[in-house]
Amino acid sequence: QVHVVESGGDSVQAGGSLRLSCLYSGPLYALYSAGWYRTAPGKQRELVATITDSGTTNYGDSMKDRFTISINNTKNTAWLQMNSLKPEDTAVYYCRYNVRYFGNVWGQGTQVTVSS
């Protein structure tokens, strides 16, 4: 069994910062990528950021200059540093690990609320 658990969601004022964490538990034979996605009320899930095993990152257009994704050396924890938060960043943020043998493993999500 493998699991992904997100944490760090909170309510903040616009302009504030948050750091989300994603903990992968279970056998990790090989990591293909880890990523963050979000779903805002009334909207479809969108890409926030991804990182590959080699460290290549990719960001959604509105997050490039404000968010940073990183992962630890053992690949079992990924973070999303979010700065200069805006009300439109309000969403449930989901972590996804794509790993060998288990495929995509999603967490339950963590709520981020940004007030103006």
Side-chain angles (χ1 to χ4, degrees):
Q1 285 282 358
V2 294
H3 303 279
V4 165
V5 178
E6 306 96 336
S7 62
D10 205 345
S11 296
V12 297
Q13 297 278 348
S17 298
L18 281 175
R19 190 188 198 205
L20 305 183
S21 298
C22 174
L23 177 63
Y24 176 95
S25 299
L28 183 57
Y29 301 103
L31 171 71
Y32 298 131
S33 68
W36 289 92
Y37 299 78
R38 69 185 186 187
T39 304
K43 296 187 177 181
Q44 291 187 331
R45 183 173 295 182
E46 65 173 333
L47 167 72
V48 176
T50 59
I51 186 167
T52 67
D53 181 60
S54 61
T56 302
T57 58
N58 183 46
Y59 293 92
D61 288 341
S62 64
M63 301 85 167
K64 283 178 183 177
D65 298 324
R66 301 183 295 124
F67 294 3
T68 303
I69 188 171
S70 58
I71 197 164
N72 66 351
N73 289 337
T74 55
K75 314 297 184 185
N76 69 334
T77 304
W79 297 279
L80 181 69
Q81 178 66 43
M82 304 187 294
N83 298 327
S84 302
L85 284 162
K86 305 174 182 179
E88 50 264 43
D89 294 317
T90 295
V92 178
Y93 284 71
Y94 297 89
C95 178
R96 174 197 56 80
Y97 262 64
N98 185 357
V99 300
R100 183 179 296 172
Y101 301 132
F102 299 104
N104 286 318
V105 184
W106 289 88
Q108 294 299 307
T110 186
Q111 177 70 46
V112 172
T113 302
V114 184
S115 57
S116 57

